[in-house]
Amino acid sequence: MAAGHPAQAALRRAVRTCVAGHDATEGSDPLVLAAVSGGADSLALAHALLHEGGPTRTGVVVVDHDLQPGSAEVAERAAEQCRAMRTPDGRAHEVVDVRRVRVVSTGAGPEADAREARYAALAAAAGDLGAALVLLGHTRDDQAEQVLLGLLRGSGARSLAGMPVTTTRGGVPFARPLLHVDRATTRAACAAAGLDPWHDPTNVDPAFARSRARAVLATLAEDLGPGLPEALARTADLLRADADHLDALADEASAPFAAVAEPCTADLAVLPTALRTRVLRRLLLAGGARPGDLSAAHLAAVDALVTVPRGRGPLHLPGVEVTRVGTGRQARLSITGAGLV
C-alpha cells in the first residue's frame, strides 16, 4: 500500500497536531520519543511520528516488561522494525532504545505494577536522552475500555473521565495523540507500512481486568451498535472538563483545611457535596491514606462523620484512622496515620 493510505494519514495528522501543540517541544531541536511495545498501536505511532517529525528529532523507547517467555525477542523485533523505518527522503529515527524493566509486586495488581514500571522506564529514558516529550499509543478503544472499567467499579467523574491527553510522570511530559483514533486504523496503518505487530496474549486473557472489559465492550458493541466506543470516549472528554473544573475548585477550597491539624466539621459540612468529598480525599491522602486503596465507600463513610452529628468513628481506612472529635459546632475531624495495613 502507498504511504498516502488513509489510515496512515489519520495517524500522522493526530501526531502532527499533538506535537505542534505541546509546549515541551518549543525551543531548538527538541527530541520526541514514541513508547513502543511491539503491538499495532505503538508501532503505527512510531511510524507516524517519524513521518511527521519535521524539524523535530524523533526516537523510540521499547519497554520489555520481562513478564512473559520470549519477551526479550519481542522487544528486539519491535526495535528492529523501528530502526528500519524510513521517510521518503531516507530519514530514520535518531535513537531506538530498548529498556528491560523489573516489575515489582506492590499488591496493586499485575497491570498496575507493570504500568508503574513502564512509566518509570520511559521517564528515565527521556531523562537520559534529553527528550522533550514521550508519546503513548493509547487509542479510542483503550479510552472506551478505561471508561467501562470506571463504570464497573462504580467510580466518580474523575475515573469516568478516562485517560487525559497529556500527563506528567517523573517530571517528564507524556501525550496520547491517538485517543480519537480507533484500533482498526492503527492496524490498517501497520499493514500499509509493511509492519508486523506483535499480538499480546494478555489482551485476551480473562485473568486481566482490561481484557475482560475489552470482551464486554465487543459484546456490547455487537448488541448496541459500533458507535459505542466512540460514545464512551466522547463521554470521557465531557466528564474530564467537568472533573478538571471541580478539582480546581477543590484545590482552592482545601487550602484553609490543610493548614490546621483537625479541621472543623461544621466548616466542611457547608461545602457542596461534590467539593466536600474532593476536599476530604485530599485531607485523607495528606494524612497518609493509600490512594490506590481509597474507595468511594471509604469517602462516603468519612463524609458521614462530617455531615451526621451522631457519627463518631473511629474509621480504620487504608493508611489512616479517622475520628470525629468533640460535639456541636466545636466538633473536628481527626486524621491520623494508623489505619488498615
Side-chain angles (χ1 to χ4, degrees), residues 48 53 76 100 161 173 206 257 331:
E76 186 52 39
R100 193 173 194 180
F257 300 108

Side-chain angles (χ1 to χ4, degrees), residues 7-32:
Q8 291 181 318
L11 264 67
R12 294 177 190 179
R13 185 165 53 249
V15 169
R16 179 170 64 249
T17 301
C18 176
V19 173
H22 204 281
D23 292 341
T25 60
E26 293 182 355
S28 60
D29 208 22
L31 173 64
V32 177

